[in-house]
PDB file of all heavy atoms in Angstrom:
ATOM      1  N   LEU A  33     -45.049 191.202-103.167  1.00  0.00           N
ATOM      2  CA  LEU A  33     -45.352 190.243-102.189  1.00  0.00           C
ATOM      3  C   LEU A  33     -45.208 188.766-102.634  1.00  0.00           C
ATOM      4  O   LEU A  33     -44.785 187.931-101.924  1.00  0.00           O
ATOM      5  CB  LEU A  33     -46.795 190.449-101.706  1.00  0.00           C
ATOM      6  CG  LEU A  33     -47.021 191.719-100.997  1.00  0.00           C
ATOM      7  CD1 LEU A  33     -48.553 191.922-100.794  1.00  0.00           C
ATOM      8  CD2 LEU A  33     -46.196 191.728 -99.695  1.00  0.00           C
ATOM      9  N   LEU A  42     -42.803 179.931-106.075  1.00  0.00           N
ATOM     10  CA  LEU A  42     -43.616 181.013-105.776  1.00  0.00           C
ATOM     11  C   LEU A  42     -43.654 181.196-104.263  1.00  0.00           C
ATOM     12  O   LEU A  42     -44.020 180.229-103.554  1.00  0.00           O
ATOM     13  CB  LEU A  42     -45.075 180.754-106.275  1.00  0.00           C
ATOM     14  CG  LEU A  42     -46.102 181.773-106.026  1.00  0.00           C
ATOM     15  CD1 LEU A  42     -45.747 183.044-106.856  1.00  0.00           C
ATOM     16  CD2 LEU A  42     -47.403 181.265-106.481  1.00  0.00           C
ATOM     17  N   ALA A  44     -45.187 182.806-100.842  1.00  0.00           N
ATOM     18  CA  ALA A  44     -46.399 183.462-100.305  1.00  0.00           C
ATOM     19  C   ALA A  44     -45.991 183.703 -98.793  1.00  0.00           C
ATOM     20  O   ALA A  44     -45.948 182.802 -97.905  1.00  0.00           O
ATOM     21  CB  ALA A  44     -47.543 182.426-100.313  1.00  0.00           C
ATOM     22  N   VAL A  46     -47.630 185.192 -96.468  1.00  0.00           N
ATOM     23  CA  VAL A  46     -48.752 185.192 -95.536  1.00  0.00           C
ATOM     24  C   VAL A  46     -49.641 184.056 -95.786  1.00  0.00           C
ATOM     25  O   VAL A  46     -49.533 183.393 -96.745  1.00  0.00           O
ATOM     26  CB  VAL A  46     -49.555 186.594 -95.770  1.00  0.00           C
ATOM     27  CG1 VAL A  46     -48.678 187.735 -95.411  1.00  0.00           C
ATOM     28  CG2 VAL A  46     -50.027 186.620 -97.183  1.00  0.00           C
ATOM     29  N   GLN A  59     -59.845 173.483-103.308  1.00  0.00           N
ATOM     30  CA  GLN A  59     -58.999 172.311-103.410  1.00  0.00           C
ATOM     31  C   GLN A  59     -57.584 172.826-103.753  1.00  0.00           C
ATOM     32  O   GLN A  59     -57.431 173.826-104.572  1.00  0.00           O
ATOM     33  CB  GLN A  59     -59.419 171.391-104.498  1.00  0.00           C
ATOM     34  CG  GLN A  59     -60.826 170.820-104.266  1.00  0.00           C
ATOM     35  CD  GLN A  59     -60.863 169.678-103.188  1.00  0.00           C
ATOM     36  OE1 GLN A  59     -59.882 168.898-103.141  1.00  0.00           O
ATOM     37  NE2 GLN A  59     -61.891 169.627-102.385  1.00  0.00           N
ATOM     38  N   VAL A  60     -56.576 172.127-103.381  1.00  0.00           N
ATOM     39  CA  VAL A  60     -55.261 172.297-103.883  1.00  0.00           C
ATOM     40  C   VAL A  60     -54.885 170.850-104.448  1.00  0.00           C
ATOM     41  O   VAL A  60     -54.738 169.914-103.684  1.00  0.00           O
ATOM     42  CB  VAL A  60     -54.227 172.663-102.803  1.00  0.00           C
ATOM     43  CG1 VAL A  60     -52.808 172.723-103.353  1.00  0.00           C
ATOM     44  CG2 VAL A  60     -54.564 174.010-102.213  1.00  0.00           C
ATOM     45  N   ASP A  65     -45.390 163.700-104.391  1.00  0.00           N
ATOM     46  CA  ASP A  65     -44.911 163.236-103.049  1.00  0.00           C
ATOM     47  C   ASP A  65     -44.042 164.315-102.371  1.00  0.00           C
ATOM     48  O   ASP A  65     -43.262 164.979-103.124  1.00  0.00           O
ATOM     49  CB  ASP A  65     -44.110 161.963-103.145  1.00  0.00           C
ATOM     50  CG  ASP A  65     -45.091 160.845-103.380  1.00  0.00           C
ATOM     51  OD1 ASP A  65     -46.301 160.949-103.317  1.00  0.00           O
ATOM     52  OD2 ASP A  65     -44.566 159.680-103.664  1.00  0.00           O
ATOM     53  N   ARG A  79     -52.031 158.069 -97.968  1.00  0.00           N
ATOM     54  CA  ARG A  79     -52.442 156.647 -97.978  1.00  0.00           C
ATOM     55  C   ARG A  79     -51.264 155.649 -98.153  1.00  0.00           C
ATOM     56  O   ARG A  79     -51.271 154.637 -97.609  1.00  0.00           O
ATOM     57  CB  ARG A  79     -53.474 156.402 -99.121  1.00  0.00           C
ATOM     58  CG  ARG A  79     -54.829 156.930 -98.933  1.00  0.00           C
ATOM     59  CD  ARG A  79     -55.619 156.765-100.076  1.00  0.00           C
ATOM     60  NE  ARG A  79     -56.999 157.107 -99.901  1.00  0.00           N
ATOM     61  CZ  ARG A  79     -57.876 157.526-100.854  1.00  0.00           C
ATOM     62  NH1 ARG A  79     -57.331 157.580-102.103  1.00  0.00           N
ATOM     63  NH2 ARG A  79     -59.051 157.824-100.595  1.00  0.00           N
ATOM     64  N   ASN A  81     -48.290 156.082 -97.270  1.00  0.00           N
ATOM     65  CA  ASN A  81     -47.167 156.133 -96.311  1.00  0.00           C
ATOM     66  C   ASN A  81     -45.858 156.565 -96.999  1.00  0.00           C
ATOM     67  O   ASN A  81     -44.806 156.021 -96.758  1.00  0.00           O
ATOM     68  CB  ASN A  81     -46.861 154.877 -95.601  1.00  0.00           C
ATOM     69  CG  ASN A  81     -48.130 154.423 -94.793  1.00  0.00           C
ATOM     70  OD1 ASN A  81     -48.500 155.107 -93.829  1.00  0.00           O
ATOM     71  ND2 ASN A  81     -48.804 153.360 -95.149  1.00  0.00           N
ATOM     72  N   GLY A 151     -39.584 140.390 -97.401  1.00  0.00           N
ATOM     73  CA  GLY A 151     -40.615 140.627 -98.389  1.00  0.00           C
ATOM     74  C   GLY A 151     -41.940 140.992 -97.804  1.00  0.00           C
ATOM     75  O   GLY A 151     -42.861 141.343 -98.497  1.00  0.00           O
ATOM     76  N   TYR A 170     -45.270 136.562 -86.140  1.00  0.00           N
ATOM     77  CA  TYR A 170     -45.556 135.147 -86.159  1.00  0.00           C
ATOM     78  C   TYR A 170     -44.293 134.352 -85.868  1.00  0.00           C
ATOM     79  O   TYR A 170     -43.183 134.804 -86.287  1.00  0.00           O
ATOM     80  CB  TYR A 170     -46.094 134.723 -87.576  1.00  0.00           C
ATOM     81  CG  TYR A 170     -47.488 135.232 -87.767  1.00  0.00           C
ATOM     82  CD1 TYR A 170     -47.686 136.319 -88.527  1.00  0.00           C
ATOM     83  CD2 TYR A 170     -48.618 134.629 -87.245  1.00  0.00           C
ATOM     84  CE1 TYR A 170     -48.978 136.826 -88.783  1.00  0.00           C
ATOM     85  CE2 TYR A 170     -49.869 135.105 -87.432  1.00  0.00           C
ATOM     86  CZ  TYR A 170     -50.074 136.247 -88.180  1.00  0.00           C
ATOM     87  OH  TYR A 170     -51.305 136.737 -88.393  1.00  0.00           O
ATOM     88  N   ARG A 182     -50.614 127.146 -90.631  1.00  0.00           N
ATOM     89  CA  ARG A 182     -50.523 127.979 -89.412  1.00  0.00           C
ATOM     90  C   ARG A 182     -49.847 127.307 -88.277  1.00  0.00           C
ATOM     91  O   ARG A 182     -49.247 127.914 -87.418  1.00  0.00           O
ATOM     92  CB  ARG A 182     -51.880 128.509 -89.071  1.00  0.00           C
ATOM     93  CG  ARG A 182     -52.038 129.103 -87.702  1.00  0.00           C
ATOM     94  CD  ARG A 182     -53.543 129.434 -87.430  1.00  0.00           C
ATOM     95  NE  ARG A 182     -53.786 129.893 -86.160  1.00  0.00           N
ATOM     96  CZ  ARG A 182     -54.104 129.093 -85.125  1.00  0.00           C
ATOM     97  NH1 ARG A 182     -54.095 127.823 -85.287  1.00  0.00           N
ATOM     98  NH2 ARG A 182     -54.381 129.602 -83.939  1.00  0.00           N
ATOM     99  N   GLU A 183     -50.054 125.995 -88.103  1.00  0.00           N
ATOM    100  CA  GLU A 183     -49.721 125.307 -86.941  1.00  0.00           C
ATOM    101  C   GLU A 183     -48.393 124.572 -86.857  1.00  0.00           C
ATOM    102  O   GLU A 183     -47.955 124.121 -85.867  1.00  0.00           O
ATOM    103  CB  GLU A 183     -50.787 124.262 -86.621  1.00  0.00           C
ATOM    104  CG  GLU A 183     -52.121 124.904 -86.372  1.00  0.00           C
ATOM    105  CD  GLU A 183     -52.979 124.201 -85.375  1.00  0.00           C
ATOM    106  OE1 GLU A 183     -52.669 123.057 -84.945  1.00  0.00           O
ATOM    107  OE2 GLU A 183     -53.875 124.920 -84.742  1.00  0.00           O
ATOM    108  N   THR A 212     -46.660 114.338 -88.516  1.00  0.00           N
ATOM    109  CA  THR A 212     -47.845 113.439 -88.594  1.00  0.00           C
ATOM    110  C   THR A 212     -48.230 113.076 -90.038  1.00  0.00           C
ATOM    111  O   THR A 212     -47.763 113.842 -90.947  1.00  0.00           O
ATOM    112  CB  THR A 212     -49.037 114.084 -87.930  1.00  0.00           C
ATOM    113  OG1 THR A 212     -49.572 115.227 -88.671  1.00  0.00           O
ATOM    114  CG2 THR A 212     -48.733 114.561 -86.464  1.00  0.00           C
ATOM    115  N   GLY A 214     -51.089 113.676 -91.492  1.00  0.00           N
ATOM    116  CA  GLY A 214     -51.805 114.757 -92.049  1.00  0.00           C
ATOM    117  C   GLY A 214     -50.890 115.971 -92.417  1.00  0.00           C
ATOM    118  O   GLY A 214     -51.073 116.699 -93.385  1.00  0.00           O
ATOM    119  N   HIS A 238     -46.802 107.707 -87.035  1.00  0.00           N
ATOM    120  CA  HIS A 238     -47.915 106.916 -86.920  1.00  0.00           C
ATOM    121  C   HIS A 238     -47.625 105.425 -86.787  1.00  0.00           C
ATOM    122  O   HIS A 238     -46.708 104.942 -87.507  1.00  0.00           O
ATOM    123  CB  HIS A 238     -48.964 107.156 -87.980  1.00  0.00           C
ATOM    124  CG  HIS A 238     -49.808 108.441 -87.828  1.00  0.00           C
ATOM    125  ND1 HIS A 238     -50.971 108.524 -87.095  1.00  0.00           N
ATOM    126  CD2 HIS A 238     -49.510 109.649 -88.264  1.00  0.00           C
ATOM    127  CE1 HIS A 238     -51.335 109.750 -87.182  1.00  0.00           C
ATOM    128  NE2 HIS A 238     -50.575 110.454 -87.852  1.00  0.00           N
ATOM    129  N   ALA A 240     -49.069 101.519 -87.278  1.00  0.00           N
ATOM    130  CA  ALA A 240     -50.027 100.843 -88.230  1.00  0.00           C
ATOM    131  C   ALA A 240     -50.418  99.498 -87.642  1.00  0.00           C
ATOM    132  O   ALA A 240     -49.738  98.946 -86.762  1.00  0.00           O
ATOM    133  CB  ALA A 240     -49.385 100.643 -89.558  1.00  0.00           C
ATOM    134  N   ASN A 241     -51.595  99.066 -88.061  1.00  0.00           N
ATOM    135  CA  ASN A 241     -52.056  97.801 -87.441  1.00  0.00           C
ATOM    136  C   ASN A 241     -51.634  96.591 -88.143  1.00  0.00           C
ATOM    137  O   ASN A 241     -52.178  95.439 -87.896  1.00  0.00           O
ATOM    138  CB  ASN A 241     -53.667  97.938 -87.383  1.00  0.00           C
ATOM    139  CG  ASN A 241     -54.251  97.773 -88.802  1.00  0.00           C
ATOM    140  OD1 ASN A 241     -53.502  97.830 -89.719  1.00  0.00           O
ATOM    141  ND2 ASN A 241     -55.476  97.693 -88.827  1.00  0.00           N
ATOM    142  N   LYS A 247     -45.696 103.806 -90.010  1.00  0.00           N
ATOM    143  CA  LYS A 247     -46.170 104.277 -91.262  1.00  0.00           C
ATOM    144  C   LYS A 247     -45.111 104.977 -92.140  1.00  0.00           C
ATOM    145  O   LYS A 247     -44.302 105.766 -91.572  1.00  0.00           O
ATOM    146  CB  LYS A 247     -47.293 105.349 -91.049  1.00  0.00           C
ATOM    147  CG  LYS A 247     -48.000 105.805 -92.275  1.00  0.00           C
ATOM    148  CD  LYS A 247     -48.809 104.734 -92.876  1.00  0.00           C
ATOM    149  CE  LYS A 247     -49.483 105.264 -94.199  1.00  0.00           C
ATOM    150  NZ  LYS A 247     -50.277 104.209 -94.789  1.00  0.00           N
ATOM    151  N   ASN A 256     -55.402 102.461-104.606  1.00  0.00           N
ATOM    152  CA  ASN A 256     -55.867 101.878-105.964  1.00  0.00           C
ATOM    153  C   ASN A 256     -54.768 101.210-106.702  1.00  0.00           C
ATOM    154  O   ASN A 256     -55.000 100.372-107.521  1.00  0.00           O
ATOM    155  CB  ASN A 256     -56.429 103.047-106.746  1.00  0.00           C
ATOM    156  CG  ASN A 256     -57.796 103.454-106.346  1.00  0.00           C
ATOM    157  OD1 ASN A 256     -58.535 102.711-105.655  1.00  0.00           O
ATOM    158  ND2 ASN A 256     -58.189 104.661-106.692  1.00  0.00           N
TER     159      ASN A 256
ATOM    160  N   TYR B  37     -54.126 185.932 -98.179  1.00  0.00           N
ATOM    161  CA  TYR B  37     -54.298 186.202 -99.608  1.00  0.00           C
ATOM    162  C   TYR B  37     -55.272 185.149-100.114  1.00  0.00           C
ATOM    163  O   TYR B  37     -55.216 183.924 -99.726  1.00  0.00           O
ATOM    164  CB  TYR B  37     -52.928 185.992-100.307  1.00  0.00           C
ATOM    165  CG  TYR B  37     -51.997 187.154-100.046  1.00  0.00           C
ATOM    166  CD1 TYR B  37     -51.025 186.991 -99.119  1.00  0.00           C
ATOM    167  CD2 TYR B  37     -52.190 188.402-100.731  1.00  0.00           C
ATOM    168  CE1 TYR B  37     -50.095 187.943 -98.875  1.00  0.00           C
ATOM    169  CE2 TYR B  37     -51.218 189.390-100.522  1.00  0.00           C
ATOM    170  CZ  TYR B  37     -50.190 189.180 -99.570  1.00  0.00           C
ATOM    171  OH  TYR B  37     -49.406 190.203 -99.216  1.00  0.00           O
ATOM    172  N   THR B  63     -44.147 178.051-101.934  1.00  0.00           N
ATOM    173  CA  THR B  63     -43.535 178.069-100.548  1.00  0.00           C
ATOM    174  C   THR B  63     -44.133 179.092 -99.707  1.00  0.00           C
ATOM    175  O   THR B  63     -44.284 180.257-100.178  1.00  0.00           O
ATOM    176  CB  THR B  63     -41.949 178.346-100.698  1.00  0.00           C
ATOM    177  OG1 THR B  63     -41.391 177.398-101.511  1.00  0.00           O
ATOM    178  CG2 THR B  63     -41.386 178.410 -99.366  1.00  0.00           C
ATOM    179  N   GLN B  78     -62.915 168.979 -98.117  1.00  0.00           N
ATOM    180  CA  GLN B  78     -62.435 167.603 -98.146  1.00  0.00           C
ATOM    181  C   GLN B  78     -61.847 167.337 -99.475  1.00  0.00           C
ATOM    182  O   GLN B  78     -62.562 167.725-100.561  1.00  0.00           O
ATOM    183  CB  GLN B  78     -63.524 166.673 -97.786  1.00  0.00           C
ATOM    184  CG  GLN B  78     -63.991 166.685 -96.348  1.00  0.00           C
ATOM    185  CD  GLN B  78     -62.767 166.253 -95.414  1.00  0.00           C
ATOM    186  OE1 GLN B  78     -62.063 165.309 -95.780  1.00  0.00           O
ATOM    187  NE2 GLN B  78     -62.570 167.033 -94.324  1.00  0.00           N
ATOM    188  N   ALA B  82     -57.027 162.110-105.588  1.00  0.00           N
ATOM    189  CA  ALA B  82     -55.918 161.491-104.914  1.00  0.00           C
ATOM    190  C   ALA B  82     -54.773 162.489-104.721  1.00  0.00           C
ATOM    191  O   ALA B  82     -53.946 162.376-103.811  1.00  0.00           O
ATOM    192  CB  ALA B  82     -55.471 160.219-105.659  1.00  0.00           C
ATOM    193  N   LEU B  85     -54.463 168.132-101.606  1.00  0.00           N
ATOM    194  CA  LEU B  85     -53.858 168.408-100.347  1.00  0.00           C
ATOM    195  C   LEU B  85     -54.925 167.957 -99.313  1.00  0.00           C
ATOM    196  O   LEU B  85     -56.087 168.290 -99.433  1.00  0.00           O
ATOM    197  CB  LEU B  85     -53.588 169.956-100.167  1.00  0.00           C
ATOM    198  CG  LEU B  85     -52.916 170.367 -98.886  1.00  0.00           C
ATOM    199  CD1 LEU B  85     -51.522 169.874 -98.835  1.00  0.00           C
ATOM    200  CD2 LEU B  85     -52.802 171.926 -98.973  1.00  0.00           C
ATOM    201  N   TYR B  96     -58.652 158.985 -94.930  1.00  0.00           N
ATOM    202  CA  TYR B  96     -58.123 158.657 -96.330  1.00  0.00           C
ATOM    203  C   TYR B  96     -57.798 157.173 -96.524  1.00  0.00           C
ATOM    204  O   TYR B  96     -57.710 156.728 -97.610  1.00  0.00           O
ATOM    205  CB  TYR B  96     -56.952 159.529 -96.643  1.00  0.00           C
ATOM    206  CG  TYR B  96     -57.294 160.959 -96.369  1.00  0.00           C
ATOM    207  CD1 TYR B  96     -56.473 161.771 -95.520  1.00  0.00           C
ATOM    208  CD2 TYR B  96     -58.371 161.602 -96.973  1.00  0.00           C
ATOM    209  CE1 TYR B  96     -56.816 163.135 -95.253  1.00  0.00           C
ATOM    210  CE2 TYR B  96     -58.845 162.884 -96.701  1.00  0.00           C
ATOM    211  CZ  TYR B  96     -57.978 163.679 -95.835  1.00  0.00           C
ATOM    212  OH  TYR B  96     -58.332 164.942 -95.549  1.00  0.00           O
ATOM    213  N   PRO B 114     -61.395 160.226-101.678  1.00  0.00           N
ATOM    214  CA  PRO B 114     -61.549 160.065-103.092  1.00  0.00           C
ATOM    215  C   PRO B 114     -60.889 158.718-103.550  1.00  0.00           C
ATOM    216  O   PRO B 114     -60.021 158.205-102.808  1.00  0.00           O
ATOM    217  CB  PRO B 114     -60.720 161.276-103.681  1.00  0.00           C
ATOM    218  CG  PRO B 114     -59.799 161.637-102.564  1.00  0.00           C
ATOM    219  CD  PRO B 114     -60.551 161.268-101.314  1.00  0.00           C
ATOM    220  N   ARG B 120     -49.941 151.239-105.141  1.00  0.00           N
ATOM    221  CA  ARG B 120     -48.460 151.472-104.961  1.00  0.00           C
ATOM    222  C   ARG B 120     -48.081 150.884-103.644  1.00  0.00           C
ATOM    223  O   ARG B 120     -48.872 150.802-102.663  1.00  0.00           O
ATOM    224  CB  ARG B 120     -48.225 152.929-105.076  1.00  0.00           C
ATOM    225  CG  ARG B 120     -48.849 153.764-104.068  1.00  0.00           C
ATOM    226  CD  ARG B 120     -48.526 155.310-104.291  1.00  0.00           C
ATOM    227  NE  ARG B 120     -47.221 155.642-103.898  1.00  0.00           N
ATOM    228  CZ  ARG B 120     -46.864 156.899-103.686  1.00  0.00           C
ATOM    229  NH1 ARG B 120     -47.691 157.923-103.880  1.00  0.00           N
ATOM    230  NH2 ARG B 120     -45.708 157.202-103.260  1.00  0.00           N
ATOM    231  N   GLY B 122     -46.827 150.379-100.078  1.00  0.00           N
ATOM    232  CA  GLY B 122     -47.013 151.258 -98.969  1.00  0.00           C
ATOM    233  C   GLY B 122     -48.410 151.693 -98.698  1.00  0.00           C
ATOM    234  O   GLY B 122     -48.755 152.229 -97.611  1.00  0.00           O
ATOM    235  N   GLN B 161     -59.447 135.172 -87.867  1.00  0.00           N
ATOM    236  CA  GLN B 161     -58.555 136.320 -88.056  1.00  0.00           C
ATOM    237  C   GLN B 161     -59.232 137.516 -88.472  1.00  0.00           C
ATOM    238  O   GLN B 161     -58.890 138.696 -88.272  1.00  0.00           O
ATOM    239  CB  GLN B 161     -57.434 135.932 -89.001  1.00  0.00           C
ATOM    240  CG  GLN B 161     -56.156 136.664 -88.712  1.00  0.00           C
ATOM    241  CD  GLN B 161     -54.982 135.909 -89.218  1.00  0.00           C
ATOM    242  OE1 GLN B 161     -54.964 135.127 -90.087  1.00  0.00           O
ATOM    243  NE2 GLN B 161     -53.796 136.258 -88.642  1.00  0.00           N
ATOM    244  N   ARG B 176     -49.584 142.443-103.565  1.00  0.00           N
ATOM    245  CA  ARG B 176     -50.566 141.718-102.701  1.00  0.00           C
ATOM    246  C   ARG B 176     -50.868 142.728-101.539  1.00  0.00           C
ATOM    247  O   ARG B 176     -50.096 143.651-101.327  1.00  0.00           O
ATOM    248  CB  ARG B 176     -49.966 140.421-102.145  1.00  0.00           C
ATOM    249  CG  ARG B 176     -48.848 140.701-101.121  1.00  0.00           C
ATOM    250  CD  ARG B 176     -48.028 139.331-100.877  1.00  0.00           C
ATOM    251  NE  ARG B 176     -47.117 139.414 -99.788  1.00  0.00           N
ATOM    252  CZ  ARG B 176     -45.936 140.026 -99.744  1.00  0.00           C
ATOM    253  NH1 ARG B 176     -45.511 140.600-100.872  1.00  0.00           N
ATOM    254  NH2 ARG B 176     -45.205 139.985 -98.631  1.00  0.00           N
ATOM    255  N   GLU B 184     -55.160 136.948 -84.226  1.00  0.00           N
ATOM    256  CA  GLU B 184     -55.979 135.829 -83.658  1.00  0.00           C
ATOM    257  C   GLU B 184     -56.029 135.892 -82.187  1.00  0.00           C
ATOM    258  O   GLU B 184     -55.158 136.381 -81.577  1.00  0.00           O
ATOM    259  CB  GLU B 184     -55.345 134.465 -84.131  1.00  0.00           C
ATOM    260  CG  GLU B 184     -55.142 134.377 -85.598  1.00  0.00           C
ATOM    261  CD  GLU B 184     -53.983 133.279 -85.840  1.00  0.00           C
ATOM    262  OE1 GLU B 184     -54.321 132.107 -85.655  1.00  0.00           O
ATOM    263  OE2 GLU B 184     -52.977 133.684 -86.231  1.00  0.00           O
ATOM    264  N   GLY B 221     -56.454 127.066 -90.632  1.00  0.00           N
ATOM    265  CA  GLY B 221     -55.524 127.322 -89.500  1.00  0.00           C
ATOM    266  C   GLY B 221     -55.436 126.340 -88.518  1.00  0.00           C
ATOM    267  O   GLY B 221     -54.834 126.487 -87.401  1.00  0.00           O
ATOM    268  N   ARG B 223     -56.033 121.598 -87.968  1.00  0.00           N
ATOM    269  CA  ARG B 223     -55.549 120.374 -88.424  1.00  0.00           C
ATOM    270  C   ARG B 223     -56.531 119.325 -88.045  1.00  0.00           C
ATOM    271  O   ARG B 223     -57.497 119.573 -87.271  1.00  0.00           O
ATOM    272  CB  ARG B 223     -54.253 120.012 -87.695  1.00  0.00           C
ATOM    273  CG  ARG B 223     -54.392 120.075 -86.250  1.00  0.00           C
ATOM    274  CD  ARG B 223     -53.140 120.110 -85.494  1.00  0.00           C
ATOM    275  NE  ARG B 223     -53.245 120.677 -84.091  1.00  0.00           N
ATOM    276  CZ  ARG B 223     -53.875 120.058 -83.098  1.00  0.00           C
ATOM    277  NH1 ARG B 223     -54.434 118.874 -83.315  1.00  0.00           N
ATOM    278  NH2 ARG B 223     -54.060 120.672 -81.941  1.00  0.00           N
ATOM    279  N   ASP B 252     -56.361 112.383 -87.543  1.00  0.00           N
ATOM    280  CA  ASP B 252     -55.038 112.332 -88.082  1.00  0.00           C
ATOM    281  C   ASP B 252     -54.340 111.053 -87.654  1.00  0.00           C
ATOM    282  O   ASP B 252     -53.446 111.114 -86.835  1.00  0.00           O
ATOM    283  CB  ASP B 252     -54.294 113.565 -87.812  1.00  0.00           C
ATOM    284  CG  ASP B 252     -52.935 113.757 -88.563  1.00  0.00           C
ATOM    285  OD1 ASP B 252     -52.745 112.798 -89.379  1.00  0.00           O
ATOM    286  OD2 ASP B 252     -52.111 114.574 -88.241  1.00  0.00           O
ATOM    287  N   SER B 255     -53.716 103.534 -90.705  1.00  0.00           N
ATOM    288  CA  SER B 255     -53.658 102.201 -90.150  1.00  0.00           C
ATOM    289  C   SER B 255     -52.700 101.299 -91.000  1.00  0.00           C
ATOM    290  O   SER B 255     -51.547 101.399 -90.909  1.00  0.00           O
ATOM    291  CB  SER B 255     -55.079 101.605 -90.196  1.00  0.00           C
ATOM    292  OG  SER B 255     -55.760 102.221 -89.107  1.00  0.00           O
ATOM    293  N   ASN B 256     -53.244 100.391 -91.875  1.00  0.00           N
ATOM    294  CA  ASN B 256     -52.536  99.303 -92.266  1.00  0.00           C
ATOM    295  C   ASN B 256     -51.792  99.542 -93.610  1.00  0.00           C
ATOM    296  O   ASN B 256     -51.806 100.612 -94.057  1.00  0.00           O
ATOM    297  CB  ASN B 256     -53.449  98.117 -92.442  1.00  0.00           C
ATOM    298  CG  ASN B 256     -54.488  98.353 -93.420  1.00  0.00           C
ATOM    299  OD1 ASN B 256     -54.436  99.098 -94.287  1.00  0.00           O
ATOM    300  ND2 ASN B 256     -55.575  97.551 -93.272  1.00  0.00           N
ATOM    301  N   GLN B 259     -52.484 101.716 -97.204  1.00  0.00           N
ATOM    302  CA  GLN B 259     -52.516 103.173 -97.228  1.00  0.00           C
ATOM    303  C   GLN B 259     -53.926 103.670 -96.901  1.00  0.00           C
ATOM    304  O   GLN B 259     -54.740 104.279 -97.726  1.00  0.00           O
ATOM    305  CB  GLN B 259     -52.175 103.729 -98.643  1.00  0.00           C
ATOM    306  CG  GLN B 259     -52.184 105.270 -98.852  1.00  0.00           C
ATOM    307  CD  GLN B 259     -51.212 106.016 -98.025  1.00  0.00           C
ATOM    308  OE1 GLN B 259     -50.621 105.422 -97.198  1.00  0.00           O
ATOM    309  NE2 GLN B 259     -51.028 107.342 -98.289  1.00  0.00           N
ATOM    310  N   ASN B 277     -59.931 102.628 -98.522  1.00  0.00           N
ATOM    311  CA  ASN B 277     -59.238 103.509 -99.541  1.00  0.00           C
ATOM    312  C   ASN B 277     -59.541 104.945 -99.359  1.00  0.00           C
ATOM    313  O   ASN B 277     -60.681 105.369 -99.496  1.00  0.00           O
ATOM    314  CB  ASN B 277     -59.699 102.999-100.903  1.00  0.00           C
ATOM    315  CG  ASN B 277     -58.915 103.638-102.073  1.00  0.00           C
ATOM    316  OD1 ASN B 277     -58.346 104.604-101.860  1.00  0.00           O
ATOM    317  ND2 ASN B 277     -58.899 103.009-103.216  1.00  0.00           N
ATOM    318  N   HIS B 290     -54.767 124.845 -82.225  1.00  0.00           N
ATOM    319  CA  HIS B 290     -54.064 125.452 -81.053  1.00  0.00           C
ATOM    320  C   HIS B 290     -54.662 126.912 -80.905  1.00  0.00           C
ATOM    321  O   HIS B 290     -54.547 127.659 -81.795  1.00  0.00           O
ATOM    322  CB  HIS B 290     -52.540 125.521 -81.340  1.00  0.00           C
ATOM    323  CG  HIS B 290     -51.926 124.146 -81.260  1.00  0.00           C
ATOM    324  ND1 HIS B 290     -52.021 123.338 -80.269  1.00  0.00           N
ATOM    325  CD2 HIS B 290     -51.199 123.491 -82.242  1.00  0.00           C
ATOM    326  CE1 HIS B 290     -51.365 122.291 -80.439  1.00  0.00           C
ATOM    327  NE2 HIS B 290     -50.842 122.315 -81.672  1.00  0.00           N
TER     328      HIS B 290
END
Side-chain angles (χ1 to χ4, degrees):
Chain A
L33 295 172
L42 184 65
V46 293
Q59 301 284 323
V60 175
D65 283 352
R79 281 176 177 156
N81 297 295
Y170 293 99
R182 168 185 173 269
E183 300 219 335
T212 69
H238 281 275
N241 68 354
K247 184 71 179 180
N256 283 340
Chain B
Y37 289 99
T63 297
Q78 287 299 316
L85 184 65
Y96 309 123
R120 58 185 286 194
Q161 210 157 20
R176 72 193 192 281
E184 306 158 69
R223 56 195 157 71
D252 187 5
S255 286
N256 62 21
Q259 179 66 349
N277 187 340
H290 288 303

